[in-house]
Amino acid sequence: MKQNIKKLSYFLLSTFVLLLFYLTYITFQQGEELATHPQNRRMAAKEAAIIRGTIYDRQGVSLAETKWQGQAGQRVYQTVEHVFPSAHVVGYVSERYGSSGLEAAYSKELLGLTEADAVENLLDKILNRTPRGNDLILTLDASLQSRALALLGNRRGAVVALDPRTGAVLAMVSSPAFNSNTVKDPEIWEQLNKAEANAPLLNRATQGAYPPGSVIKLLTGAGILANHVDQPEKTIDCPGYVIIDGNKITDNQVHHQVNFTKALALSCNTYFAQEGVKLGWHNLLDTFEKFGLNQNPDLEIPVRAGTFAVAERRNKSQLAETSFGQGDTLLSPLHMALACSAIANQGTIMKPYLVKEIRKPEGQVVRLTESSPWLSATTPEIAGLITQGMVDAVDWGTGSGASLKGIKVAGKTGTAETKNTQDPTSAPHAWFVGFAPADNPQVVVAVIVEKGGSGSKVAAPIARDVMAAALSGK
């Protein structure tokens, strides 16, 4: 009997020690994360007594602010024609449904609950003042956001515009957008979640998974040149198709003799399929990794990393298709914008960011985001050769729809076939990536229109107007 009691005592003591260790881990390792989690009800109650900081665009336009009415604060978002163009980036705050976007990522800062705010919070208690959180100043341009969303119209898709010199995201729009002001309404919330086909809550710019089509040729080309698979001036004959491993891959047309830059300008699948197979899986995937396609740039909002064919599917036919943007490859518009920025910035991808500054309500800067390199994707020489092909694409190739009067534009179109077994006649996705001015890049743009058709006819004109607006500052 005594022996059993002794064993029970040891068991209870061990359980107590384990529980103590677990509670210590929760408190010190996960305490802060759990305390500020969007679904934490205690956090919502605490927030009700704080004036949440304002979120501004790069020009000082208020995108989200708390308007205090009596004893309660109401979060108000800037809408244009009943939608919030920055909804997927800024997000929302709801007592019932939590928060998303930057509202969630920067909740502590917006509520003034960081360690740096401790003294001020103590003074607020002593002086019986209503606490106020810090403000965010974003890199986004509200007018550019509205313009990009308007250009997409009622079509599903996304636009990403960034400064290749700094990594600052100038625009990030996903269509359809939604109104963050109405998320708190249970009926609206249910509608947003039930709209599976349109998926309005999905940020297509960062989480969309699309076959890249011919825009991937920029990266395949970088791999070809880096690994000396072919010389830029060498020509091959394009009869309008290529046979790889017994499979006939049809091109968009007969291109006859093409070299590297002409193949890029005319988007010749035959050239990139042949040279991509010579490049091999190892070198192609290594190139994609150097451009960050399979990585998360830590943008502080959810980002889907790119995916490629699994090992057992990496045959020659799949390699050929992957080389010109078909096959099993799925990428987000953000990743293609970043990859294009490497070409614009002489081979270096700057780390993308959305928050330029965090400021106290009185205007004192708490944190300033400094630009920093993220990846060294390729060399300036290779970036220069690819740029020439992109300039030719806009001047006389497939990307002429993106040309701007008086400004040299570099661009690449893509028309990505969709694998829809239920609807084999489904239209392809329309892509365009490019930058301007080509000789002094200030803005990179990536556009996708889901099932939009031709990249040259649909996506290129959208990119043209977004680049024009970004360069003019309007």
Side-chain angles (χ1 to χ4, degrees):
M1 185 68 177
K2 289 183 179 180
Q3 190 69 19
N4 290 336
I5 293 174
K6 194 174 183 180
K7 287 180 180 180
L8 179 61
S9 299
Y10 285 144
F11 173 76
L12 292 174
L13 180 61
S14 300
T15 304
F16 177 76
V17 171
L18 287 173
L19 181 61
L20 185 63
F21 275 117
Y22 179 69
L23 291 175
T24 302
Y25 168 76
I26 290 291
T27 302
F28 292 99
Q29 295 296 321
Q30 293 187 300
E32 186 176 354
E33 180 183 347
L34 292 173
T36 57
H37 193 278
Q39 303 298 330
N40 188 333
R41 312 298 291 176
R42 291 179 64 188
M43 189 66 179
K46 189 172 185 178
E47 181 180 340
I50 301 173
I51 300 177
R52 194 176 181 90
T54 302
I55 300 177
Y56 297 98
D57 86 332
R58 66 188 298 112
Q59 307 294 346
V61 175
S62 172
L63 300 178
E65 62 180 314
T66 297
K67 293 187 176 180
W68 206 255
Q69 299 174 340
Q71 299 296 315
Q74 178 76 28
R75 198 65 168 165
V76 178
Y77 298 92
Q78 182 212 58
T79 58
V80 178
E81 296 184 359
H82 308 296
V83 296
F84 181 27
S86 302
H88 295 92
V89 178
V90 173
Y92 56 80
V93 176
S94 166
E95 185 176 345
R96 181 189 292 262
Y97 304 115
S99 57
S100 71
L102 295 176
E103 290 274 33
Y106 284 85
S107 186
K108 289 186 299 179
E109 289 81 1
L110 288 164
L111 292 170
L113 296 177
T114 66
E115 291 183 7
D117 300 308
V119 174
E120 194 161 343
N121 290 336
L122 180 60
L123 287 173
D124 287 337
K125 286 183 179 180
I126 294 172
L127 300 175
N128 197 28
R129 300 183 306 199
T130 301
R132 178 183 168 88
N134 301 307
D135 299 331
L136 302 185
I137 290 78
L138 307 187
T139 59
L140 297 181
D141 186 304
S143 62
L144 193 60
Q145 289 281 108
S146 299
R147 179 64 177 148
L149 186 60
L151 288 167
L152 286 170
N154 295 324
R155 298 168 294 191
R156 292 176 299 191
V159 175
V160 176
L162 53 85
D163 186 335
R165 303 164 297 182
T166 64
V169 179
L170 307 177
M172 181 177 282
V173 166
S174 178
S175 176
F178 60 94
N179 187 344
S180 294
N181 293 304
T182 62
V183 166
K184 59 188 177 182
D185 186 321
E187 289 187 14
I188 298 295
W189 178 256
E190 187 176 357
Q191 291 172 16
L192 290 172
N193 281 276
K194 280 188 175 181
E196 294 181 4
N198 289 326
L201 293 175
L202 173 68
N203 185 353
R204 287 168 161 82
T206 62
Q207 295 177 288
Y210 303 103
S214 291
V215 294
I216 204 69
K217 291 172 182 173
L218 303 180
L219 282 65
T220 304
I224 291 169
L225 296 175
N227 290 278
H228 308 291
V229 172
D230 202 357
Q231 297 300 315
E233 64 275 7
K234 180 185 173 183
T235 62
I236 68 163
D237 180 60
C238 169
Y241 67 91
V242 60
I243 297 176
I244 303 292
D245 211 17
N247 296 318
K248 184 177 181 179
I249 298 173
T250 305
D251 212 329
N252 50 37
Q253 67 179 71
V254 177
H255 296 109
H256 302 296
Q257 295 292 315
V258 294
N259 61 9
F260 178 80
T261 52
K262 187 175 180 181
L264 203 56
L266 297 177
S267 201
C268 177
N269 289 345
T270 298
Y271 180 95
F272 286 96
Q274 287 185 0
E275 304 309 304
V277 169
K278 293 179 187 176
L279 181 61
W281 273 111
H282 174 76
N283 289 329
L284 183 62
L285 293 177
D286 180 63
T287 300
F288 289 170
E289 185 172 352
K290 286 179 178 176
F291 276 83
L293 297 189
N294 61 343
Q295 299 180 49
N296 187 334
D298 189 23
L299 197 58
E300 297 181 309
I301 60 174
V303 175
R304 180 194 184 275
T307 51
F308 314 107
V310 294
E312 53 268 26
R313 285 181 54 81
R314 292 177 190 171
N315 52 36
K316 279 189 177 181
S317 181
Q318 180 76 216
L319 174 58
E321 291 186 359
T322 300
S323 298
F324 61 85
Q326 292 296 157
D328 295 348
T329 303
L330 295 173
L331 301 173
S332 75
L334 172 64
H335 279 94
M336 281 313 309
L338 291 170
C340 187
S341 75
I343 308 302
N345 197 40
Q346 298 187 325
T348 299
I349 304 176
M350 302 301 287
K351 188 180 186 307
Y353 63 100
L354 288 161
V355 178
K356 183 180 179 182
E357 294 179 11
I358 300 176
R359 291 181 187 170
K360 291 284 187 184
E362 308 81 33
Q364 177 189 354
V365 177
V366 177
R367 195 190 86 185
L368 175 67
T369 303
E370 300 284 350
S371 298
S372 61
W374 182 44
L375 295 171
S376 180
T378 189
T379 66
E381 293 75 21
I382 290 175
L385 287 168
I386 294 173
T387 296
Q388 184 56 57
M390 295 173 71
V391 169
D392 290 344
V394 176
D395 284 350
W396 50 265
T398 61
S400 58
S403 61
L404 286 168
K405 186 177 181 180
I407 299 175
K408 191 175 286 295
V409 176
K412 182 73 194 78
T413 58
T415 304
E417 295 179 5
T418 57
K419 296 180 179 179
N420 191 332
T421 55
Q422 296 179 343
D423 183 12
T425 62
S426 178
H429 298 319
W431 274 97
F432 184 89
V433 297
F435 53 89
D439 51 359
N440 180 28
Q442 298 172 38
V443 59
V444 167
V445 175
V447 175
I448 186 167
V449 180
E450 290 182 17
K451 300 180 181 180
S454 166
S456 59
K457 293 179 181 178
V458 177
I462 294 174
R464 174 198 64 209
D465 289 355
V466 171
M467 286 188 283
L471 294 172
S472 68
K474 297 180 181 179

PDB file of all heavy atoms in Angstrom, residues 132-162:
ATOM      1  N   ARG A 132      -3.347  56.377 -26.418  1.00  0.00           N
ATOM      2  CA  ARG A 132      -3.390  56.437 -27.887  1.00  0.00           C
ATOM      3  C   ARG A 132      -2.182  55.702 -28.434  1.00  0.00           C
ATOM      4  O   ARG A 132      -1.055  55.872 -27.960  1.00  0.00           O
ATOM      5  CB  ARG A 132      -3.393  57.885 -28.365  1.00  0.00           C
ATOM      6  CG  ARG A 132      -3.388  58.000 -29.890  1.00  0.00           C
ATOM      7  CD  ARG A 132      -3.306  59.430 -30.361  1.00  0.00           C
ATOM      8  NE  ARG A 132      -3.026  59.476 -31.787  1.00  0.00           N
ATOM      9  CZ  ARG A 132      -3.938  59.460 -32.742  1.00  0.00           C
ATOM     10  NH1 ARG A 132      -5.212  59.406 -32.421  1.00  0.00           N
ATOM     11  NH2 ARG A 132      -3.597  59.494 -34.019  1.00  0.00           N
ATOM     12  N   GLY A 133      -2.401  54.886 -29.441  1.00  0.00           N
ATOM     13  CA  GLY A 133      -1.336  54.105 -30.048  1.00  0.00           C
ATOM     14  C   GLY A 133      -0.510  54.888 -31.043  1.00  0.00           C
ATOM     15  O   GLY A 133      -0.749  56.079 -31.298  1.00  0.00           O
ATOM     16  N   ASN A 134       0.464  54.209 -31.616  1.00  0.00           N
ATOM     17  CA  ASN A 134       1.354  54.829 -32.605  1.00  0.00           C
ATOM     18  C   ASN A 134       0.731  54.783 -33.993  1.00  0.00           C
ATOM     19  O   ASN A 134      -0.129  53.954 -34.293  1.00  0.00           O
ATOM     20  CB  ASN A 134       2.696  54.104 -32.624  1.00  0.00           C
ATOM     21  CG  ASN A 134       3.382  54.127 -31.282  1.00  0.00           C
ATOM     22  OD1 ASN A 134       3.570  55.188 -30.685  1.00  0.00           O
ATOM     23  ND2 ASN A 134       3.737  52.956 -30.759  1.00  0.00           N
ATOM     24  N   ASP A 135       1.207  55.663 -34.854  1.00  0.00           N
ATOM     25  CA  ASP A 135       0.732  55.726 -36.231  1.00  0.00           C
ATOM     26  C   ASP A 135       1.695  54.989 -37.160  1.00  0.00           C
ATOM     27  O   ASP A 135       2.897  54.920 -36.891  1.00  0.00           O
ATOM     28  CB  ASP A 135       0.621  57.177 -36.696  1.00  0.00           C
ATOM     29  CG  ASP A 135      -0.375  57.988 -35.871  1.00  0.00           C
ATOM     30  OD1 ASP A 135      -1.332  57.376 -35.353  1.00  0.00           O
ATOM     31  OD2 ASP A 135      -0.199  59.214 -35.759  1.00  0.00           O
ATOM     32  N   LEU A 136       1.158  54.452 -38.259  1.00  0.00           N
ATOM     33  CA  LEU A 136       1.972  53.825 -39.293  1.00  0.00           C
ATOM     34  C   LEU A 136       1.952  54.694 -40.544  1.00  0.00           C
ATOM     35  O   LEU A 136       0.888  55.165 -40.958  1.00  0.00           O
ATOM     36  CB  LEU A 136       1.439  52.436 -39.662  1.00  0.00           C
ATOM     37  CG  LEU A 136       1.316  51.363 -38.573  1.00  0.00           C
ATOM     38  CD1 LEU A 136       0.879  50.044 -39.223  1.00  0.00           C
ATOM     39  CD2 LEU A 136       2.620  51.183 -37.832  1.00  0.00           C
ATOM     40  N   ILE A 137       3.104  54.899 -41.139  1.00  0.00           N
ATOM     41  CA  ILE A 137       3.185  55.570 -42.434  1.00  0.00           C
ATOM     42  C   ILE A 137       3.661  54.519 -43.435  1.00  0.00           C
ATOM     43  O   ILE A 137       4.759  53.979 -43.306  1.00  0.00           O
ATOM     44  CB  ILE A 137       4.146  56.781 -42.418  1.00  0.00           C
ATOM     45  CG1 ILE A 137       3.565  57.915 -41.587  1.00  0.00           C
ATOM     46  CG2 ILE A 137       4.377  57.289 -43.840  1.00  0.00           C
ATOM     47  CD1 ILE A 137       3.685  57.769 -40.108  1.00  0.00           C
ATOM     48  N   LEU A 138       2.809  54.193 -44.388  1.00  0.00           N
ATOM     49  CA  LEU A 138       3.090  53.128 -45.333  1.00  0.00           C
ATOM     50  C   LEU A 138       3.832  53.628 -46.568  1.00  0.00           C
ATOM     51  O   LEU A 138       3.928  54.831 -46.815  1.00  0.00           O
ATOM     52  CB  LEU A 138       1.785  52.450 -45.771  1.00  0.00           C
ATOM     53  CG  LEU A 138       0.851  51.941 -44.667  1.00  0.00           C
ATOM     54  CD1 LEU A 138      -0.300  51.145 -45.289  1.00  0.00           C
ATOM     55  CD2 LEU A 138       1.603  51.101 -43.648  1.00  0.00           C
ATOM     56  N   THR A 139       4.320  52.691 -47.345  1.00  0.00           N
ATOM     57  CA  THR A 139       4.965  53.009 -48.624  1.00  0.00           C
ATOM     58  C   THR A 139       3.926  53.107 -49.737  1.00  0.00           C
ATOM     59  O   THR A 139       4.226  53.607 -50.827  1.00  0.00           O
ATOM     60  CB  THR A 139       5.982  51.923 -48.998  1.00  0.00           C
ATOM     61  OG1 THR A 139       5.300  50.663 -49.082  1.00  0.00           O
ATOM     62  CG2 THR A 139       7.091  51.821 -47.966  1.00  0.00           C
ATOM     63  N   LEU A 140       2.708  52.615 -49.480  1.00  0.00           N
ATOM     64  CA  LEU A 140       1.652  52.620 -50.486  1.00  0.00           C
ATOM     65  C   LEU A 140       1.216  54.036 -50.843  1.00  0.00           C
ATOM     66  O   LEU A 140       1.263  54.946 -50.013  1.00  0.00           O
ATOM     67  CB  LEU A 140       0.422  51.860 -49.986  1.00  0.00           C
ATOM     68  CG  LEU A 140       0.558  50.367 -49.676  1.00  0.00           C
ATOM     69  CD1 LEU A 140      -0.784  49.827 -49.222  1.00  0.00           C
ATOM     70  CD2 LEU A 140       1.062  49.603 -50.886  1.00  0.00           C
ATOM     71  N   ASP A 141       0.775  54.196 -52.073  1.00  0.00           N
ATOM     72  CA  ASP A 141       0.198  55.443 -52.539  1.00  0.00           C
ATOM     73  C   ASP A 141      -1.295  55.202 -52.750  1.00  0.00           C
ATOM     74  O   ASP A 141      -1.686  54.399 -53.598  1.00  0.00           O
ATOM     75  CB  ASP A 141       0.861  55.878 -53.851  1.00  0.00           C
ATOM     76  CG  ASP A 141       0.415  57.249 -54.315  1.00  0.00           C
ATOM     77  OD1 ASP A 141      -0.806  57.444 -54.480  1.00  0.00           O
ATOM     78  OD2 ASP A 141       1.269  58.127 -54.529  1.00  0.00           O
ATOM     79  N   ALA A 142      -2.122  55.900 -51.990  1.00  0.00           N
ATOM     80  CA  ALA A 142      -3.569  55.657 -52.032  1.00  0.00           C
ATOM     81  C   ALA A 142      -4.150  55.890 -53.419  1.00  0.00           C
ATOM     82  O   ALA A 142      -5.011  55.127 -53.881  1.00  0.00           O
ATOM     83  CB  ALA A 142      -4.277  56.550 -51.007  1.00  0.00           C
ATOM     84  N   SER A 143      -3.688  56.932 -54.093  1.00  0.00           N
ATOM     85  CA  SER A 143      -4.221  57.226 -55.432  1.00  0.00           C
ATOM     86  C   SER A 143      -3.805  56.152 -56.433  1.00  0.00           C
ATOM     87  O   SER A 143      -4.581  55.776 -57.318  1.00  0.00           O
ATOM     88  CB  SER A 143      -3.747  58.604 -55.910  1.00  0.00           C
ATOM     89  OG  SER A 143      -2.334  58.649 -56.026  1.00  0.00           O
ATOM     90  N   LEU A 144      -2.584  55.630 -56.277  1.00  0.00           N
ATOM     91  CA  LEU A 144      -2.118  54.563 -57.162  1.00  0.00           C
ATOM     92  C   LEU A 144      -2.888  53.270 -56.883  1.00  0.00           C
ATOM     93  O   LEU A 144      -3.198  52.508 -57.803  1.00  0.00           O
ATOM     94  CB  LEU A 144      -0.614  54.344 -56.972  1.00  0.00           C
ATOM     95  CG  LEU A 144       0.096  53.488 -58.030  1.00  0.00           C
ATOM     96  CD1 LEU A 144      -0.039  54.114 -59.416  1.00  0.00           C
ATOM     97  CD2 LEU A 144       1.570  53.309 -57.675  1.00  0.00           C
ATOM     98  N   GLN A 145      -3.211  53.019 -55.613  1.00  0.00           N
ATOM     99  CA  GLN A 145      -4.022  51.871 -55.248  1.00  0.00           C
ATOM    100  C   GLN A 145      -5.389  51.941 -55.948  1.00  0.00           C
ATOM    101  O   GLN A 145      -5.847  50.967 -56.548  1.00  0.00           O
ATOM    102  CB  GLN A 145      -4.249  51.835 -53.735  1.00  0.00           C
ATOM    103  CG  GLN A 145      -3.041  51.479 -52.896  1.00  0.00           C
ATOM    104  CD  GLN A 145      -2.755  49.997 -52.880  1.00  0.00           C
ATOM    105  OE1 GLN A 145      -1.803  49.533 -53.484  1.00  0.00           O
ATOM    106  NE2 GLN A 145      -3.582  49.246 -52.193  1.00  0.00           N
ATOM    107  N   SER A 146      -6.023  53.103 -55.858  1.00  0.00           N
ATOM    108  CA  SER A 146      -7.342  53.282 -56.463  1.00  0.00           C
ATOM    109  C   SER A 146      -7.281  53.133 -57.975  1.00  0.00           C
ATOM    110  O   SER A 146      -8.170  52.525 -58.589  1.00  0.00           O
ATOM    111  CB  SER A 146      -7.912  54.664 -56.101  1.00  0.00           C
ATOM    112  OG  SER A 146      -8.068  54.792 -54.705  1.00  0.00           O
ATOM    113  N   ARG A 147      -6.215  53.678 -58.568  1.00  0.00           N
ATOM    114  CA  ARG A 147      -6.056  53.602 -60.019  1.00  0.00           C
ATOM    115  C   ARG A 147      -5.879  52.158 -60.473  1.00  0.00           C
ATOM    116  O   ARG A 147      -6.498  51.713 -61.446  1.00  0.00           O
ATOM    117  CB  ARG A 147      -4.846  54.436 -60.438  1.00  0.00           C
ATOM    118  CG  ARG A 147      -4.549  54.439 -61.937  1.00  0.00           C
ATOM    119  CD  ARG A 147      -5.663  55.086 -62.710  1.00  0.00           C
ATOM    120  NE  ARG A 147      -5.363  55.156 -64.130  1.00  0.00           N
ATOM    121  CZ  ARG A 147      -6.287  55.087 -65.077  1.00  0.00           C
ATOM    122  NH1 ARG A 147      -7.568  54.942 -64.761  1.00  0.00           N
ATOM    123  NH2 ARG A 147      -5.952  55.178 -66.347  1.00  0.00           N
ATOM    124  N   ALA A 148      -5.038  51.421 -59.773  1.00  0.00           N
ATOM    125  CA  ALA A 148      -4.777  50.027 -60.138  1.00  0.00           C
ATOM    126  C   ALA A 148      -6.036  49.176 -60.015  1.00  0.00           C
ATOM    127  O   ALA A 148      -6.328  48.347 -60.884  1.00  0.00           O
ATOM    128  CB  ALA A 148      -3.669  49.452 -59.266  1.00  0.00           C
ATOM    129  N   LEU A 149      -6.796  49.381 -58.942  1.00  0.00           N
ATOM    130  CA  LEU A 149      -8.032  48.617 -58.750  1.00  0.00           C
ATOM    131  C   LEU A 149      -9.046  48.957 -59.831  1.00  0.00           C
ATOM    132  O   LEU A 149      -9.743  48.069 -60.353  1.00  0.00           O
ATOM    133  CB  LEU A 149      -8.612  48.892 -57.365  1.00  0.00           C
ATOM    134  CG  LEU A 149      -9.833  48.056 -56.968  1.00  0.00           C
ATOM    135  CD1 LEU A 149      -9.498  46.565 -56.965  1.00  0.00           C
ATOM    136  CD2 LEU A 149     -10.361  48.480 -55.603  1.00  0.00           C
ATOM    137  N   ALA A 150      -9.124  50.233 -60.194  1.00  0.00           N
ATOM    138  CA  ALA A 150     -10.056  50.650 -61.246  1.00  0.00           C
ATOM    139  C   ALA A 150      -9.676  50.027 -62.587  1.00  0.00           C
ATOM    140  O   ALA A 150     -10.553  49.651 -63.376  1.00  0.00           O
ATOM    141  CB  ALA A 150     -10.074  52.175 -61.350  1.00  0.00           C
ATOM    142  N   LEU A 151      -8.381  49.903 -62.854  1.00  0.00           N
ATOM    143  CA  LEU A 151      -7.920  49.317 -64.122  1.00  0.00           C
ATOM    144  C   LEU A 151      -8.260  47.827 -64.205  1.00  0.00           C
ATOM    145  O   LEU A 151      -8.543  47.312 -65.284  1.00  0.00           O
ATOM    146  CB  LEU A 151      -6.416  49.522 -64.276  1.00  0.00           C
ATOM    147  CG  LEU A 151      -5.977  50.960 -64.578  1.00  0.00           C
ATOM    148  CD1 LEU A 151      -4.472  51.116 -64.384  1.00  0.00           C
ATOM    149  CD2 LEU A 151      -6.362  51.350 -66.003  1.00  0.00           C
ATOM    150  N   LEU A 152      -8.247  47.144 -63.064  1.00  0.00           N
ATOM    151  CA  LEU A 152      -8.645  45.733 -63.059  1.00  0.00           C
ATOM    152  C   LEU A 152     -10.151  45.589 -63.263  1.00  0.00           C
ATOM    153  O   LEU A 152     -10.620  44.580 -63.804  1.00  0.00           O
ATOM    154  CB  LEU A 152      -8.237  45.072 -61.738  1.00  0.00           C
ATOM    155  CG  LEU A 152      -6.752  44.769 -61.566  1.00  0.00           C
ATOM    156  CD1 LEU A 152      -6.466  44.337 -60.130  1.00  0.00           C
ATOM    157  CD2 LEU A 152      -6.289  43.700 -62.544  1.00  0.00           C
ATOM    158  N   GLY A 153     -10.889  46.592 -62.838  1.00  0.00           N
ATOM    159  CA  GLY A 153     -12.329  46.576 -63.031  1.00  0.00           C
ATOM    160  C   GLY A 153     -12.995  45.441 -62.280  1.00  0.00           C
ATOM    161  O   GLY A 153     -12.661  45.160 -61.130  1.00  0.00           O
ATOM    162  N   ASN A 154     -13.901  44.757 -62.945  1.00  0.00           N
ATOM    163  CA  ASN A 154     -14.619  43.644 -62.328  1.00  0.00           C
ATOM    164  C   ASN A 154     -13.908  42.314 -62.495  1.00  0.00           C
ATOM    165  O   ASN A 154     -14.459  41.266 -62.146  1.00  0.00           O
ATOM    166  CB  ASN A 154     -16.034  43.544 -62.925  1.00  0.00           C
ATOM    167  CG  ASN A 154     -16.893  44.750 -62.588  1.00  0.00           C
ATOM    168  OD1 ASN A 154     -16.796  45.292 -61.493  1.00  0.00           O
ATOM    169  ND2 ASN A 154     -17.714  45.183 -63.533  1.00  0.00           N
ATOM    170  N   ARG A 155     -12.704  42.355 -63.055  1.00  0.00           N
ATOM    171  CA  ARG A 155     -11.957  41.115 -63.297  1.00  0.00           C
ATOM    172  C   ARG A 155     -11.147  40.723 -62.068  1.00  0.00           C
ATOM    173  O   ARG A 155     -10.659  41.565 -61.337  1.00  0.00           O
ATOM    174  CB  ARG A 155     -11.025  41.306 -64.495  1.00  0.00           C
ATOM    175  CG  ARG A 155     -11.749  41.614 -65.789  1.00  0.00           C
ATOM    176  CD  ARG A 155     -10.825  42.086 -66.882  1.00  0.00           C
ATOM    177  NE  ARG A 155     -10.208  43.373 -66.600  1.00  0.00           N
ATOM    178  CZ  ARG A 155      -9.526  44.088 -67.493  1.00  0.00           C
ATOM    179  NH1 ARG A 155      -9.384  43.631 -68.722  1.00  0.00           N
ATOM    180  NH2 ARG A 155      -8.996  45.248 -67.157  1.00  0.00           N
ATOM    181  N   ARG A 156     -11.013  39.424 -61.872  1.00  0.00           N
ATOM    182  CA  ARG A 156     -10.165  38.929 -60.788  1.00  0.00           C
ATOM    183  C   ARG A 156      -8.709  39.047 -61.202  1.00  0.00           C
ATOM    184  O   ARG A 156      -8.346  38.755 -62.341  1.00  0.00           O
ATOM    185  CB  ARG A 156     -10.503  37.473 -60.468  1.00  0.00           C
ATOM    186  CG  ARG A 156     -11.875  37.278 -59.854  1.00  0.00           C
ATOM    187  CD  ARG A 156     -12.208  35.827 -59.638  1.00  0.00           C
ATOM    188  NE  ARG A 156     -12.214  35.079 -60.905  1.00  0.00           N
ATOM    189  CZ  ARG A 156     -12.665  33.846 -61.044  1.00  0.00           C
ATOM    190  NH1 ARG A 156     -13.130  33.190 -60.005  1.00  0.00           N
ATOM    191  NH2 ARG A 156     -12.640  33.251 -62.210  1.00  0.00           N
ATOM    192  N   GLY A 157      -7.889  39.462 -60.250  1.00  0.00           N
ATOM    193  CA  GLY A 157      -6.470  39.602 -60.563  1.00  0.00           C
ATOM    194  C   GLY A 157      -5.748  40.409 -59.512  1.00  0.00           C
ATOM    195  O   GLY A 157      -6.252  40.622 -58.406  1.00  0.00           O
ATOM    196  N   ALA A 158      -4.568  40.866 -59.856  1.00  0.00           N
ATOM    197  CA  ALA A 158      -3.740  41.610 -58.897  1.00  0.00           C
ATOM    198  C   ALA A 158      -2.746  42.499 -59.627  1.00  0.00           C
ATOM    199  O   ALA A 158      -2.371  42.220 -60.767  1.00  0.00           O
ATOM    200  CB  ALA A 158      -2.997  40.645 -57.969  1.00  0.00           C
ATOM    201  N   VAL A 159      -2.348  43.553 -58.929  1.00  0.00           N
ATOM    202  CA  VAL A 159      -1.301  44.465 -59.406  1.00  0.00           C
ATOM    203  C   VAL A 159      -0.337  44.716 -58.260  1.00  0.00           C
ATOM    204  O   VAL A 159      -0.761  45.009 -57.140  1.00  0.00           O
ATOM    205  CB  VAL A 159      -1.884  45.810 -59.891  1.00  0.00           C
ATOM    206  CG1 VAL A 159      -0.760  46.774 -60.264  1.00  0.00           C
ATOM    207  CG2 VAL A 159      -2.821  45.609 -61.072  1.00  0.00           C
ATOM    208  N   VAL A 160       0.957  44.593 -58.551  1.00  0.00           N
ATOM    209  CA  VAL A 160       1.994  44.950 -57.585  1.00  0.00           C
ATOM    210  C   VAL A 160       2.939  45.944 -58.249  1.00  0.00           C
ATOM    211  O   VAL A 160       3.405  45.713 -59.368  1.00  0.00           O
ATOM    212  CB  VAL A 160       2.799  43.718 -57.125  1.00  0.00           C
ATOM    213  CG1 VAL A 160       3.930  44.136 -56.184  1.00  0.00           C
ATOM    214  CG2 VAL A 160       1.888  42.705 -56.442  1.00  0.00           C
ATOM    215  N   ALA A 161       3.179  47.067 -57.581  1.00  0.00           N
ATOM    216  CA  ALA A 161       4.147  48.052 -58.070  1.00  0.00           C
ATOM    217  C   ALA A 161       5.119  48.355 -56.943  1.00  0.00           C
ATOM    218  O   ALA A 161       4.705  48.564 -55.801  1.00  0.00           O
ATOM    219  CB  ALA A 161       3.440  49.330 -58.522  1.00  0.00           C
ATOM    220  N   LEU A 162       6.405  48.349 -57.263  1.00  0.00           N
ATOM    221  CA  LEU A 162       7.401  48.659 -56.229  1.00  0.00           C
ATOM    222  C   LEU A 162       8.568  49.434 -56.815  1.00  0.00           C
ATOM    223  O   LEU A 162       8.775  49.470 -58.032  1.00  0.00           O
ATOM    224  CB  LEU A 162       7.872  47.377 -55.545  1.00  0.00           C
ATOM    225  CG  LEU A 162       8.390  46.210 -56.395  1.00  0.00           C
ATOM    226  CD1 LEU A 162       9.871  46.394 -56.703  1.00  0.00           C
ATOM    227  CD2 LEU A 162       8.186  44.896 -55.673  1.00  0.00           C
TER     228      LEU A 162
END
